[in-house]
Amino acid sequence: MNKIILTTLFLSICNLFSLNTNAQAQNNMYRIAKIKVDVNQIEQYKSALKEQMNAAIKLEPGVLSYTVVADKKDASLITIMEVYANQEAYQSHILTPHFKKYKDTVKNMVLSLELIDTELVERVHKPNY
Amino acid sequence: MNKIILTTLFLSICNLFSLNTNAQAQNNMYRIAKIKVDVNQIEQYKSALKEQMNAAIKLEPGVLSYTVVADKKDASLITIMEVYANQEAYQSHILTPHFKKYKDTVKNMVLSLELIDTELVERVHKPNY
């Protein structure tokens, strides 16, 4: 009898954790940033962006991923898929020293910036992708 | 002495694997698909897309990830970030029964489709993101 109670309790706790994880995932913030960079400063821009991203992923628990790609037909067109744990994580991110340093460094490199707030429909991936 | 030789051999093999993995990653194909869906068929479209994605990630070793998001301002604007191991994996993907079924199912749901071939600049992520 004790075993049944313990098993039920264990499964309930597992379920709670699972629900919590799902609820957290539902709050994840998916943003697409489309950036047009000065063609003469693409490498400097990428360098500043990489420095910012690597600091953010290392230092901020609420920064979940950044995927940065460049258009093959025009390397000055950069798209970033940004994922934050929630809106609060993003608000906290833009106050960090590494983000402020990035914004200051690239202010004369970025010709245009479009931010598109999106909702996740589905994500499937192999391990580590 | 034997230990030194064995250690050197072991490290060389590790290095080879690492180089191979990097070379493979450099071949990864990153594509952005921008899709405008008929507003009256958004749920049917998402359902067909999810079926296709889940089959592909399960059955095809060269399909590495799909991330699908919808614009918060217009849920009929879908963006997919697709990652394949290489061009060959993509060419093989479009010949699969699940992909052909998807294309056939959605042909009257998709109003426009833009495919943007891109190159990875950088990706950083927390585990599982």
Side-chain angles (χ1 to χ4, degrees):
Chain A
M1 184 61 183
N2 267 353
K3 269 193 186 170
I4 295 173
I5 293 171
L6 278 175
T7 307
T8 310
L9 192 65
F10 176 72
L11 290 175
S12 301
I13 290 169
C14 288
N15 205 18
L16 264 179
F17 272 102
S18 159
L19 284 174
N20 191 34
T21 307
N22 288 340
Q24 284 173 348
Q26 276 171 13
N27 285 333
N28 287 175
M29 178 182 158
Y30 285 76
R31 166 177 276 180
I32 295 172
K34 292 169 74 174
I35 297 154
K36 169 80 180 149
V37 180
D38 173 6
V39 287
N40 298 314
Q41 300 186 79
I42 296 177
E43 291 313 313
Q44 296 93 316
Y45 172 76
K46 284 182 186 173
S47 171
L49 178 62
K50 286 179 185 179
E51 187 182 320
Q52 191 289 116
M53 285 164 56
N54 281 284
I57 204 78
K58 188 176 160 191
L59 301 172
E60 298 180 67
V63 172
L64 301 183
S65 80
Y66 290 113
T67 307
V68 184
V69 294
D71 193 320
K72 279 199 175 180
K73 289 188 184 158
D74 180 350
S76 71
L77 296 177
I78 302 286
T79 300
I80 314 177
M81 170 79 80
E82 311 175 2
V83 188
Y84 302 94
N86 48 43
Q87 291 282 342
E88 293 72 30
Y90 173 72
Q91 292 303 329
S92 149
H93 166 67
I94 57 177
L95 298 175
T96 58
H98 47 268
F99 182 76
K100 288 180 178 172
K101 182 184 171 193
Y102 160 76
K103 286 300 269 187
D104 189 54
T105 306
V106 306
K107 65 178 184 288
N108 296 319
M109 301 176 183
V110 170
L111 303 184
S112 71
L113 166 66
E114 184 187 0
L115 298 174
I116 305 162
D117 281 313
T118 65
E119 274 181 15
L120 182 68
V121 174
E122 183 93 330
R123 175 164 157 77
V124 295
H125 63 100
K126 295 281 199 291
N128 277 323
Y129 275 92
Chain B
M1 185 60 184
N2 266 353
K3 269 193 186 170
I4 294 172
I5 292 172
L6 278 174
T7 308
T8 309
L9 193 65
F10 176 73
L11 289 175
S12 302
I13 290 169
C14 288
N15 204 18
L16 265 179
F17 272 103
S18 158
L19 285 173
N20 190 33
T21 308
N22 287 340
Q24 284 173 348
Q26 277 171 12
N27 285 333
N28 287 175
M29 178 182 157
Y30 285 76
R31 165 177 278 179
I32 295 172
K34 292 169 75 174
I35 297 154
K36 169 79 179 149
V37 180
D38 173 6
V39 288
N40 298 314
Q41 300 186 79
I42 297 176
E43 291 313 313
Q44 295 94 315
Y45 173 76
K46 284 181 186 173
S47 171
L49 178 62
K50 287 178 186 179
E51 187 182 319
Q52 191 288 118
M53 285 164 57
N54 281 284
I57 204 77
K58 187 177 161 191
L59 301 172
E60 297 180 68
V63 171
L64 302 182
S65 80
Y66 290 113
T67 308
V68 184
V69 294
D71 194 318
K72 279 198 175 180
K73 289 188 183 159
D74 180 350
S76 70
L77 296 175
I78 302 286
T79 300
I80 313 177
M81 171 79 80
E82 311 176 1
V83 188
Y84 303 93
N86 47 45
Q87 292 281 343
E88 293 71 30
Y90 173 72
Q91 292 303 331
S92 149
H93 166 67
I94 57 177
L95 298 176
T96 59
H98 47 268
F99 183 76
K100 287 179 179 174
K101 183 185 171 192
Y102 159 77
K103 286 300 270 188
D104 189 54
T105 306
V106 306
K107 65 177 184 287
N108 295 319
M109 301 176 183
V110 170
L111 303 184
S112 70
L113 166 66
E114 184 187 1
L115 299 174
I116 305 162
D117 281 312
T118 64
E119 272 181 18
L120 183 67
V121 173
E122 183 93 328
R123 174 163 158 79
V124 295
H125 63 100
K126 296 281 200 289
N128 277 322
Y129 276 93

